Amino acid sequence: AQVYAGVVQQLEKAGCDSPAFDAVCLLEDIGGLPRGGFPRGDERPMPPDKEAAVRGAARQRAQGRPLQYILGEWEFLTLRLRVGEGVLIPRPDTELLCEAAAERLARVPGEPPHVLDLCAGTGCVGLGVCSLFPGAQVTAVELSEQAFAYLQENIRRYPAYAVRPVRADVLRDAARFDGPYQAILSNPPYIPSADLPTLMREVQHEPRMALD
């Protein structure tokens, strides 16, 4: 509880949006705290190595490094995906894209639908669709070498889903993806270059290629 209170205070002073939530995530994922809160009546101190790791992670968070990058994983729908520097962090808004696509694919008659996921990043869209509609067959296209490594790793985590990673430029290599596809999905870069300096400091840690 003392470590938790200290981390919350540190993150509040640093201007983090959700200091209490971030502190709990750090204590659970890095400090080994059981999910769901502090055990009642447990007065044992946190092991020194765990406490040092939590405090080190808290310093990173106070300096603006995204919580998701510090933890190395993040939840998306029912998935738990690897994330880190060089790949866009999956966000709840993108879950709506997966849900809408799965709902429409369920109405497509015939063979299992083929889906093209452009600018795939972590693979959250393609894997998310498969988690909701397991029969889908997805081609996930990503240009960035760093992001492609996360895409491959996340696909390996869920071998039951038919997601195929392809490293390519979706504009220059369009002829490689001539379908037919029942859905073409994307969460592409959409922020004007001039707006980048105004973004939250956490977002500015994310790859410019995925934003601009």
Side-chain angles (χ1 to χ4, degrees), residues 118 141 143 167-177:
L118 303 179
V141 185
L143 175 60
R167 188 170 175 221
D169 186 319
V170 301
L171 300 179
R172 296 179 180 177
D173 303 322
R176 294 173 57 184
F177 311 104

Side-chain angles (χ1 to χ4, degrees), residues 76-79 81 90-106 115 117 120 122-134 136 138 183 185-187:
F76 183 84
L77 294 171
T78 59
L79 308 170
L81 302 175
R91 289 171 167 78
D93 289 353
T94 308
E95 294 179 357
L96 299 176
L97 172 62
C98 299
E99 291 165 352
E103 180 182 348
R104 295 189 181 201
L105 289 173
V115 176
D117 174 14
T122 59
C124 63
V125 171
L127 288 166
V129 168
C130 286
S131 73
L132 298 168
F133 193 88
V138 178
L185 308 176
S186 184
N187 181 23

Side-chain angles (χ1 to χ4, degrees), residues 121-193:
T122 59
C124 63
V125 171
L127 288 166
V129 168
C130 286
S131 73
L132 298 168
F133 193 88
Q137 298 183 11
V138 178
T139 299
V141 185
E142 174 57 49
L143 175 60
S144 163
E145 182 177 0
Q146 285 181 288
F148 192 71
Y150 286 101
L151 173 63
Q152 291 177 303
E153 183 173 352
N154 286 324
I155 289 173
R156 285 194 293 269
R157 285 188 167 199
Y158 297 95
Y161 300 148
V163 180
R164 179 174 67 96
V166 177
R167 188 170 175 221
D169 186 319
V170 301
L171 300 179
R172 296 179 180 177
D173 303 322
R176 294 173 57 184
F177 311 104
D178 57 356
Y181 299 102
Q182 281 66 52
I184 300 176
L185 308 176
S186 184
N187 181 23
Y190 60 88
I191 298 173
S193 303

Side-chain angles (χ1 to χ4, degrees), residues 46-53:
M46 180 177 289
D49 60 330
K50 296 286 190 182
E51 180 176 349

Side-chain angles (χ1 to χ4, degrees), residues 4 21-22 30 34 40 44 54 68 72 89 92 99 103 126 128 137 141 149 152 161 171-172 175 180 183 188 208:
Y4 169 78
F21 173 78
D22 290 5
I30 296 175
R40 293 184 180 277
R44 291 175 298 175
V54 169
Q68 295 87 342
I89 296 167
E99 291 165 352
E103 180 182 348
Q137 298 183 11
V141 185
Q152 291 177 303
Y161 300 148
L171 300 179
R172 296 179 180 177
R208 186 183 182 109

Side-chain angles (χ1 to χ4, degrees), residues 61-91:
R61 185 70 192 95
Q63 293 166 1
R65 189 180 180 209
L67 175 67
Q68 295 87 342
Y69 286 177
I70 296 170
L71 301 179
E73 294 183 333
W74 199 243
E75 293 182 0
F76 183 84
L77 294 171
T78 59
L79 308 170
R80 193 164 183 85
L81 302 175
R82 282 275 294 131
V83 296
E85 275 75 9
V87 72
L88 192 72
I89 296 167
R91 289 171 167 78

